[in-house]
Structures are given as C-alpha cells and as structure tokens.
Amino acid sequence: MLRKKTNGVAKGPRAGSLLSSLAAKTMDRRGFLAASGVTVGGLAALSLTSGRVEAATPSTGGGEVVRKKSVCTHCSVGCTVMAEVQNGTWIGQEPGWDSPFNLGAHCAKGASVREHAHGERRLKYPMKMVGGQWQKISWDEAINEIGDKMLQIREESGPDSVYWLGSAKFSNEGSYLFRKFAAYWGTNNVDHQARICHSTTVAGVANTWGYGAMTNSYNDIHNSQAIFLIGGNPAEAHPVSLLHLLKAKEENNAPLIVCDPRFTRTAAHADEYVRFRPGSDVALVWGLLWHIFENSWEDKEFIRTRVYGMDDIRQEVKKWNPEEVERVTGAPGAQLERVARTLANNRPGTVIWCMGGTQHTNGNNNTRAYCVLQLALGNMGTPGGGTNIFRGHDNVQGATDLGVLADTLPGYYGLAAGSWAHWARVWEEDLDWLKGRFAVWDKDGKSRAMMNEKGIPVSRWIDGVLEAKENLEQPDNTRAMVLWGHAPNSQTRMLEMKEAMEKLDLLVVVDPFPTVSAVLHDRKDGAYLLPATTQFETSGSVTASNRSLQWREKVVEPLFESKVDHEIMKLFADKFGFTDRMFRNIAIEGDEPVVEDITREFNRGMWTIGYTGQSPERLKKHMANQHHFDKTTLRAVGGPCDGDTYGLPWPSWGTPEMNHPGTHVLYDMSLPVSKGGLTFRARFGVERNGENLLADGVYSKNSEIKDGYPEFTMQMLMDLGWDGDLTAEERASIDAVAGPETNWKTDLSGGIQRVAIKHECAPFGNAKARAIVWNFPDPVPLHREPLYTNRRDLVEDYPTYEDKTFWRVPTLYESIQKKDFSKDFPIILTSGRLVEYEGGGDETRSNPWLAELQQDMFIEVNPRDANNMNIRDGKDVWVSGPEGARIKVKAMVTERVGEGVAFMPFHFGGHLEGKDLRDKYPKGSDPYVLGESTNTVQTYGYDSVTQMQETKCTLCSIMPA
C-alpha cells in the first residue's frame, strides 16, 4: 500500500519479497534485477525519471544497435519512447528528449514499458478451454472454430447477437479497421473503454460547442494564469502532465485549485484544496458561478457574442446560494467565494477534469457545468484557457475519433442513412450490400433497420446476455462476446458479469495478456484466448489527449505466436468471406494489411473532425523532427515542418496537400483558420425559439464573412460566388455526391473545405456555444443525487430520473434510489488510479518492476470511521456493497479521505470475494500481483445520456475480516 515515509523508511511493514521469491528460482535477486535492466529502487524513488533504462549486460551477439521511436502505451500524454534494438532484441530505452510532450521524462510506468516486449507473463499462443482447462491450439484451429460458432449464431439469432468489444489500445489504424469490420459483419454492437471513462465528456462537450475533445493541450497550460482541476489526479494518472501544470504554477504564479473528495498527490501541490462530497459536482460549480454572477465577474461581451442560453443558467444558479451549496457539497461558502475570486482575477484560466467528473449517473451534467463555467469567465478559445480533458489510455482519444463506439461511424458521423452512404462511398462499397449485412427487426408491427440503431454500450453488455429477450430492443440476446484489448475488472457489477460470461455460447479474448476474462468465470468450454501483440510490435498512428497524432515505429517483431490486431481482423474477414470487399483499397502483405494504406483510407473519409490532413508521410516527418517544435506553442520553427503544429492536432483541414498546420487551440479566433484559428461550430441550427444561434458580430482573423454563418455547403459557395474557386475535379466529385446539397462533411474531394478556408472561414460555420442543450434530459445541468445515496434528506429535492429503456436495454433510476440502503451501508465508496498501475492492471501487474512497488489491494478509510468500525491499519477487512457482493482487502487508515468516505484503486483483479483465482490462469501467464477488484462491490448506475457507469459514489460497509 502507499505509505507515508519517515526518514526515507516506509512506515509499517513493506512486502518486499515478491521478486525475491520469483528470482530465487533461477538466480539471486541482484542478478535478476540487473539482467532485467533497471533497479526497482530507482523507479520507486523517482515518480518521474529521465534516466536511461538498459540491460546491464549487452547482447552477446554483437551487431548494430538501432534506435526506434515509439510512444508509451499507457496514458494519453503521448510520451516518446526511444528503444534501442540489437539483433531484434530490445536492449535499452530512453525517454524522448526531443519530444515536446514528455521533454525527456518518464513516469514509473513509462520507464518500464520495455518489459512488455519481453513479457514472460504474456499470452504466448492461442488457447481454448477444454473440460475447464486451457489447452494450446493453432491459429487456424482458433479462427475456424470461433468463426464456425459465430456464423451459426448469426444464422440462428442474427448478427447483433455477436458483440465486438474493441480497445483504446488499438492504434488509429486498428481502431478504424475494427469499426469497419463490425460494419461488414453487420452490427453496431461494438464499443470500447471510452464508454466507461469519458463518454459523458464527449457528449457533454460536443453538445456545448461542437467537438467533444480537449480544447487546448498539456503544453498550452504553460500559458494559464489559473488552473482549476476537478475530479482528476494527474500526479498518479498522468504523471508527466504534471510537468506542464507545475511550469505554469511556478513561472506564472498560477494558482492551482484542486477539487476532490480525496486529498490526492495532486492536491498536495495545490494552492487551494476543496474537499467536497462525491457526486455533487454540479452543485459545486453552480456555487462558484453564484459568486461570479453575484459580483458581475462574468465576461459579458464574450457571453453576448459567443454564448447562447446563459440567462437560463443564471436562473438555475440563483438557487445555489452558499448555504445550499454547503448543505449539498460540504464545501464552505467562504472557500468557494475565494476560489471564484481567484478564477476571476487570474484569466485566462484552464479547467481540467478526468473520470472523477465523468463516471456518474448525471456525468453529462457535470461535464457541461464545467464548460459553462469557462464560458461565463470568457476563458474559451484562448491560449491558457479552455477545457483540458485528460484522457486515460494511450489511444482512447483516437479510438473514440475512429468510431469504436456503438452510436457512430468513424469521425462522429453517427448512424443515419446519410452517414452510411458517406462511408460506403469512401469504401467504394455497394450500399445495398452493406444494408443486407444488418438485421431488419420487426417489432410491434414496425420494421426497424438495426443499421441505424445504437448498439448496446459496453457498460451494459452483461444485460444484453442476462436480460429477458422481450425486454431488449434488438432481435435476440447477446450470445457471443469478443473482448479485444479490454479489462473486464474495469467494469461494475462483476458478479453479474461472471454469470453473463458463463451464459454465453462463446467467449473470445484477444489480448497480449489473458486478463481477468480468463479466470472470472467457471466455464468448462466455449472460451478462447488469442494472443495479440503490444503496440511496440507494430507501427501506426496514435492520438494523444490534445488531438495530436504521432507515428509509432515497430520496435521488435511479434513475440511468441502473437499477431498484430489488423492481421487478426483480416483472418476473421477471410473466414467470413468479405476480405476482398473490406480491403479493396488496402494492400495486404502476407496476411497483414499495410498500415499506411489504412491511414490513407480514413484520411479520405473523416472530414467532420479534420482527420484528413494527417498523412503517414506528414506524421513521420513530425516524429523525425521533434526538436524543431516549440515546447509551448507546439509550432515548428523552420525546417521541413515549418509552421505546423506538432502532430497536426485535429482538425487538420482538407487534404494532406493543403498542408493545414493543425489546430492547437480550438475556437481561437485570434488566428486565421488557415493557420489553426477556429470559431464555435454551427452544429445546432441557426435559430432557436426566435433567438439567433450564430455568433454575433465576431469572427476569426481575416474571415471574409464578418459575422456568424452556418456550415458550408455547395449551395452556400454558389450563393457567395465562391464556387468558381473549385477545380473541375472537385466540382465533379461534389456533383457525384449530392450536387448543391453536398456539405463540408460529405465532399470527398475536400474542395468545399479548401475554398472556405481560402476565404478564411471555418468549414463548420461560426456559431455560439450553447449553455443549454435542449436535446438532453436536463437542458440546464442539474444536481441529482446518486442512485445509492446516504443523504436521504436530499433525495426529495434532487431526485434522479425515471426508469427508461435506451441504448437497447432497460435502465433503472428511481426504482433503485427510492430504497434506503444507508443504514446498512453508511460509507460512500469511490475509486481511482495509482501511479504504479494502469487500467485493469493486467499488463502493469505483470511487469515485475511495477509489481514490486504495489503488492496489495487496499481501501483507504478515515481514522474516525476506522476507530468507529474497529478497523486497524494494515489489517484485512471485508468491504460489502448493497447489491450483495463483498471483497477482502487491506485497510489503510488515512486522512486522505474525509469522514464517511472510502477509496479503492481499480487496477486489481484475480481474486473474487476472498478467493484467489491464480490457478485458473494459463500456466505461466498469471500476473505477479493479484487482488480483489473494487468493481465487484461497485453498483448499478448509468448516465442518462451515454450509459456511463457510476463508480465514484456508491455505498458500502466495512468490517474487520
């Protein structure tokens, strides 16, 4: 467990024998550490390290040492990894000194990534379960047996009964190909981890001003005059990002304000720490806005010209006086007045959030409230301002952009008929053939084309299996589940997940590691493990949280019998008979699709968010010339990339030949669009209830339209007289789509975008951001009590939603909240990350250098609560949840958590309700560290818009074991 230290010595016993016992089998501990290239003590002492990581003994075979440039496969900062390879073996590692993102630094996870490409705990060959035991099989056997079963299920129940769960660990190319693969199979039952980490961000932010992503960048925080961080702990979750925050804090004297129920390692750096009750984010933000509006600290001109609906926000905020805010949040009014004054006096300030704000039943309300705070202060569209949303996995941003989601195609095109027509044109596919791949479901006398229906989100896949067929909004239950690069222990309701896994006809895991999916269930057959490579064994692009794309070089060839993701997809396409169609514009070498061809294909289709300018050639040029880019502006100064923003952060408009530099700061009107400037997107129409939705008299630099304007179409070019700027080829392409009705999103030539930008206009229009979202359950963000709340006095004033069916599944709200669980389960339970591990932890707990640092699953308990419950520090306790599950963990008694609140990390797995499942792993692939999952006792609860799971505020009881 994490311990305070005195004189450098850990307080209390430290379990330090893990590697000793493992290494003793073959060599002494010192020899084991030396041979593996880094001492654990060095990593333990340095959360951020700029030291080399290398083998103590060089390769005996001689040969040239080749340096390969890749990107860390953990969080979304995008740190460059310099790998030294000799005779095909990865022998040494340095951080990327030239990278503008990590500036020569690594965190503990990044410093140890070389282990993943040696990984003795890796899944080494395909396996299937026979009589309850894992047995080795060949790839041909695996593909044929899995494929035959899937085709049988498809014939009996339809394509929607096979669920394709993708991964934030895919490259952009793998992500794109996976979504295309699901389309060719004929289902929208496809999703990935973004659903359970930032789906409420994407929905809330995109519906406020047009795009659902980080608006500025880690580097741009250098310009911030204030930093407001809520529901995030970057010191542990994104350690290298803290370099950028601390630069602003030290050089600008920017106050750092951290709002969190827990005093985190990030909070330790804060100038102001605000502790508040889990699940009361909207009330807290409205409490800040109460002071801002009361003192007229808002930016009135910005609101007048660039914001719609702020008057409705004012009416709601009036209710949140300091007394009511303190009653709901626990945060004192005087402290919030001080925070509001600080934000008002130090502009531009940035707002940062992570999963502490998103994983709630009203998570979309939280994220929109954060946005409204920035709109009120006028902090949008400016360096040093914006909403800097720190994503979790290395390519969760890219996998989201590329459409590994149940509700959209690549580029957020959605699932409407026109969206499918667009992608059919990109794929040069017969649209009628594609339609024929999907089910048409007849229910209640109406036919529903499942092609246009949202799929089941990953947060609810277990209900697709367990719910009564007649209650589902699809033809049949989920019968086959493919978990491709996904940790099941990152999801709630794990006892029900175990039941769902056992009920499936077919369970397939595709991953470099077996994951908890290999051991959670008690199946005897019908389960398969397929070894995928890590991203160090392939090449391709990856998108950091700031929307910049970076190109990974292949470091080593695939280890053992593992295969790269896109090759496995191709093998399944072979089995299902659509390889020729799916890869008609993508070359295949052996069985492996050419990665650069995949990039070029999505370049031809993703006009909505400007994923069109980032050709493989441009991205590789940026990686080769990292040292040319300014570390704050990210703009290249001279050299072959002169004027480009590093990684061509989307939107990089038009074709690669247009050489758009990328957009560092979204919605910044101080720059021309051709140089990375932008307006708010005209996504929601031009008028609402008689009120103008377009920008009022403001526009980006050098724009030839001196006011707000709608999104561009061919008809608009004709009306402006700008259609003469189109080439004959562009005009022919536009005519082939829809003639005058063709818009900037569906023009495959890029001509409409090119001409709009020639006149320095944003292709997507120039509108106001909207503070109210009329198509959401709560147009104005509201505080609503969590489903499992111990504040019964607040339920009547701030109730949850009515039960409803959406995303194909029945979803409960009020029927849970009306039950009072608080007497038996009085403690609020929240969860979060540790610096040592990442995600579900299968990869990092299988890394000996990280496993040494953190060996026990634990729960943080406040001293007063611990004393009242007779709990001793370091002793085992049972943690029970209101839905019947319980787990056995160690108690850590600490004031990090407030009274009545407990915290657990979510990286552990391999134990279930006190039982060690180590013997269920395939031999030699069990992670070094196992433990209970907090999500075993985490409970039901889903966001009202996106079906995000609620993991930050449920209830529990704790008792000595």
Side-chain angles (χ1 to χ4, degrees), residues 217-230 232 234 241-259 266 269-274 288 339 342-353 373-374 377 379 384-388 390:
S217 71
Y218 296 109
N219 298 70
D220 182 66
I221 297 170
H222 302 176
N223 296 311
S224 298
Q225 301 303 309
I227 303 168
F228 181 84
L229 199 157
I230 185 167
S241 74
L242 212 63
L243 294 174
H244 302 292
L245 275 72
L246 295 180
K247 180 180 176 69
K249 180 173 161 57
E250 294 167 7
E251 295 185 2
N252 304 346
N253 201 28
L256 172 60
I257 301 156
V258 175
C259 303
T266 304
H269 293 278
D271 297 280
E272 183 90 47
Y273 167 62
V274 181
L288 294 172
V339 170
T342 300
L343 294 175
N345 289 340
N346 295 273
R347 302 188 220 194
T350 190
V351 169
I352 300 169
W353 72 84
L373 175 63
Q374 286 295 73
L377 291 167
N379 279 335
T387 53
N388 281 309
F390 288 10

Side-chain angles (χ1 to χ4, degrees), residues 38-338:
V38 60
T39 63
V40 172
L43 287 183
L46 295 176
S47 176
L48 292 175
T49 173
S50 58
R52 287 173 51 84
V53 178
E54 61 182 43
T57 306
S59 172
T60 57
E64 181 185 3
V65 175
V66 179
R67 289 165 63 86
K68 299 284 187 177
K69 189 175 287 190
S70 189
V71 177
C72 179
T73 54
H74 289 301
C75 83
S76 66
V77 173
C79 299
T80 294
V81 174
M82 299 300 301
E84 297 176 348
V85 180
Q86 187 178 46
N87 297 327
T89 301
W90 188 352
I91 63 166
Q93 174 189 336
E94 283 188 352
W97 294 92
D98 291 335
S99 167
F101 292 163
N102 57 310
L103 307 170
H106 269 331
C107 71
K109 292 186 285 283
S112 62
V113 292
R114 188 176 69 91
E115 182 63 29
H116 301 324
H118 289 252
E120 67 175 50
R121 316 310 280 186
R122 288 264 297 266
L123 185 61
K124 298 177 177 61
Y125 32 71
M127 307 189 83
K128 77 172 181 177
M129 182 159 280
V130 180
Q133 300 295 317
W134 292 110
Q135 293 187 4
K136 178 181 178 180
I137 59 173
S138 70
W139 271 101
D140 284 346
E141 288 176 299
I143 296 295
N144 281 319
E145 290 180 19
I146 293 167
D148 286 343
K149 187 63 178 179
M150 287 182 173
L151 290 171
Q152 177 190 341
I153 291 170
R154 179 188 178 92
E155 179 66 26
E156 294 170 355
S157 299
D160 285 318
S161 286
V162 178
Y163 196 114
W164 298 92
L165 176 53
S167 182
K169 295 302 184 190
F170 287 154
S171 65
N172 285 328
E173 291 70 25
S175 300
Y176 171 78
L177 203 61
F178 191 79
R179 186 59 181 92
K180 184 178 182 181
F181 178 92
Y184 275 62
W185 170 262
T187 188
N188 293 325
N189 280 337
V190 54
D191 215 11
H192 81 291
Q193 290 91 341
R195 178 71 50 202
I196 55 175
C197 62
H198 272 287
S199 63
T200 45
T201 291
V202 175
V205 176
N207 277 280
T208 299
W209 45 57
Y211 283 152
M214 179 187 273
T215 62
N216 294 45
S217 71
Y218 296 109
N219 298 70
D220 182 66
I221 297 170
H222 302 176
N223 296 311
S224 298
Q225 301 303 309
I227 303 168
F228 181 84
L229 199 157
I230 185 167
N233 181 19
E236 298 202 63
H238 310 81
V240 173
S241 74
L242 212 63
L243 294 174
H244 302 292
L245 275 72
L246 295 180
K247 180 180 176 69
K249 180 173 161 57
E250 294 167 7
E251 295 185 2
N252 304 346
N253 201 28
L256 172 60
I257 301 156
V258 175
C259 303
D260 202 291
R262 177 173 175 255
F263 188 78
T264 62
R265 289 183 175 181
T266 304
H269 293 278
D271 297 280
E272 183 90 47
Y273 167 62
V274 181
R275 193 192 293 278
F276 70 105
R277 185 173 65 97
S280 61
D281 298 57
V282 173
L284 186 84
V285 174
W286 284 175
L288 294 172
L289 272 180
W290 187 91
H291 291 289
I292 290 168
F293 290 148
E294 192 77 7
N295 292 282
S296 296
W297 293 335
E298 71 272 26
D299 189 329
K300 297 178 181 62
E301 182 62 11
F302 184 92
I303 292 170
R304 183 187 70 80
T305 58
R306 299 195 71 186
V307 182
Y308 168 82
M310 192 63 80
D311 287 343
D312 296 71
I313 300 295
R314 290 180 190 271
Q315 292 304 310
E316 176 63 22
V317 167
K318 282 180 181 178
K319 307 172 187 176
W320 291 97
N321 58 58
E323 294 73 27
E324 183 64 5
V325 172
E326 185 165 2
R327 181 172 85 99
V328 173
T329 70
Q335 183 180 34
L336 294 190
E337 191 275 343
R338 186 167 63 247

Side-chain angles (χ1 to χ4, degrees), residues 891-932:
M892 180 179 182
V893 179
T894 174
E895 293 181 351
R896 287 178 186 157
V897 289
E899 293 177 28
V901 176
F903 165 89
M904 287 194 287
F906 61 76
H907 309 298
F908 290 82
H911 288 182
L912 185 68
E913 296 197 298
K915 182 180 179 182
D916 188 335
L917 307 179
R918 189 177 292 277
D919 62 351
K920 297 177 71 174
Y921 283 91
K923 185 177 180 180
S925 67
D926 50 314
Y928 295 114
V929 171
L930 302 181
E932 296 270 17

Side-chain angles (χ1 to χ4, degrees), residues 693-725:
L693 296 178
L694 301 179
D696 191 349
V698 293
Y699 42 88
S700 52
K701 186 176 181 180
N702 298 339
S703 171
E704 293 184 26
I705 301 178
K706 309 297 185 183
D707 204 350
Y709 49 88
E711 64 178 355
F712 274 78
T713 64
M714 177 60 175
Q715 185 63 59
M716 186 169 165
L717 290 186
M718 294 163 62
D719 294 342
L720 290 167
W722 296 352
D723 58 309
D725 293 333

